[in-house]
Amino acid sequence: MTAPSRALAGILWMALTGIMFVCVTAIVKHLGDAVPAAQAAFLRYLLGLVFLVPMIRPILAAHLTKRQVNLFVLRGFVHTLAVILWFFAMARIPLAEVTAMNYLSPVYVTIGAALFLGEALPPRRLAAVCVALIGAVIILRPGLREVEMGHIAMLATAVLFAAGYLTAKQLSGEVNAAVVVGMLSITVTIGLAPFAWAVWVPVSMADLGWLFLVACFATAGHYTMTLAFAAAPLTVTQPVTFLQLVWAVLLGWFAFGEAVDGWVIFGGVLIMAAVSFITWREARAKAVGVGASGGDI
């Protein structure tokens, strides 16, 4: 496959990924408060364990060390809290706002890598981080409108997802991807169980069906995202993730009667532009062999 065709394949796979993840958010939005957030999250992961079967052998063969197990447990714990807060936010704020604020995770990853992993945060990348945070302020507009609990939950969700990603980054060089994904599913399912038990309510077969669809779309989204990364570099695929905001705005408008908020779109554009810039600068730094100092980026 030629370079242009691989780039096109990466773009198409990432566009499909966005559709898959928006389907996830739409179904969770449809369920609303019918199932408590912790219980809905637990059932989504429990039902999704069926997709874990191919990963059992690599997990058993990995012979994880105590340190690796502890890191997997830590990642599972922060991801558990993030998923509960994400389900909570979905029932309370518009799809577009959830999607736009979710873009903050890579920005927090950049900050966390500088604070805890010793990675460089040179001026241009720092400026991009500031632009992304300004985008978040534009979305929230504190003082000009009410900041709801759903917004606060999404801010915390992005931080927790970033913490989980940084932990995964530590593990990715030590174990293969199947082990990383499989251990996340196992630890999050276990972590969600006590939270779900505390708020458990009877669940209809219809709601179980919807939650299984959530698991299907989420798994498919991660798979197509992997195909996108394999086909083309992040500098090509990252900007395409902005389409998720487009799909979310349209779906929220047509399916849920949510008003189109230009400020949310503008804030999302700023965040996505900042994330794309950070991705591009990091790729360029790797291409020219920039060391830990980060050169001029």
Side-chain angles (χ1 to χ4, degrees):
M1 189 181 291
T2 64
S5 61
R6 288 183 63 84
L8 178 59
I11 290 170
L12 293 176
W13 281 123
M14 189 55 78
L16 183 58
T17 298
I19 293 173
M20 295 296 176
F21 286 144
V22 169
C23 287
V24 169
T25 58
I27 294 171
V28 175
K29 184 75 173 179
H30 169 71
L31 287 172
D33 286 326
V35 182
Q39 183 181 349
F42 170 72
L43 289 171
R44 170 263 182 268
Y45 272 88
L46 182 66
L47 294 167
L49 288 180
V50 66
F51 302 111
L52 189 65
V53 174
M55 303 175 193
I56 293 176
R57 181 174 292 181
I59 291 173
L60 294 176
H63 301 297
L64 300 174
T65 65
K66 183 179 179 180
R67 170 187 162 276
Q68 289 170 339
V69 171
N70 288 337
L71 284 175
F72 276 124
V73 170
L74 173 62
R75 188 189 182 206
F77 175 71
V78 298
H79 204 88
T80 294
L81 297 179
V83 168
I84 292 172
L85 290 172
W86 185 84
F87 271 77
F88 175 85
M90 275 304 312
R92 287 161 178 81
I93 59 177
L95 280 172
E97 295 184 19
V98 169
T99 304
M101 294 179 72
N102 224 26
Y103 289 141
L104 286 170
S105 285
V107 178
Y108 294 146
V109 167
T110 300
I111 297 172
L115 292 176
F116 303 112
L117 301 182
E119 294 189 7
L121 187 58
R124 294 183 186 179
R125 203 176 304 173
L126 180 60
V129 168
C130 292
V131 169
L133 296 179
I134 291 171
V137 172
I138 290 173
I139 293 171
L140 296 173
R141 303 193 296 286
L144 298 179
R145 69 164 187 172
E146 182 182 1
V147 177
E148 301 179 15
M149 288 301 298
H151 295 117
I152 296 172
M154 274 309 301
L155 287 173
T157 296
V159 172
L160 290 166
F161 276 144
Y165 178 85
L166 288 171
T167 307
K169 190 175 182 180
Q170 293 288 294
L171 290 160
S172 61
E174 304 173 18
V175 296
N176 66 45
V179 175
V180 174
V181 173
M183 287 297 293
L184 179 66
S185 296
I186 293 170
T187 54
V188 173
T189 303
I190 295 171
L192 286 167
F195 293 99
W197 179 80
V199 296
W200 195 271
V201 299
V203 185
S204 68
M205 289 302 296
D207 287 344
L208 282 176
W210 283 118
L211 288 167
F212 181 66
L213 271 181
V214 170
C216 292
F217 280 120
T219 302
H222 285 291
Y223 180 68
T224 55
M225 182 167 58
T226 302
L227 293 175
F229 291 159
L234 275 173
T235 49
V236 174
T237 58
Q238 185 67 59
V240 183
T241 61
F242 176 69
L243 286 174
Q244 285 183 238
L245 182 57
V246 176
W247 310 143
V249 169
L250 293 175
L251 192 60
W253 181 31
F254 283 114
F256 300 102
E258 297 173 350
V260 177
D261 189 330
W263 290 109
V264 171
I265 296 173
F266 179 52
V269 169
L270 286 181
I271 295 171
M272 193 64 250
V275 170
S276 297
F277 178 80
I278 290 170
T279 302
W280 175 70
R281 295 299 297 185
E282 288 180 351
R284 182 180 174 186
K286 290 178 181 177
V288 299
V290 173
S293 65
D296 66 339
I297 61 175

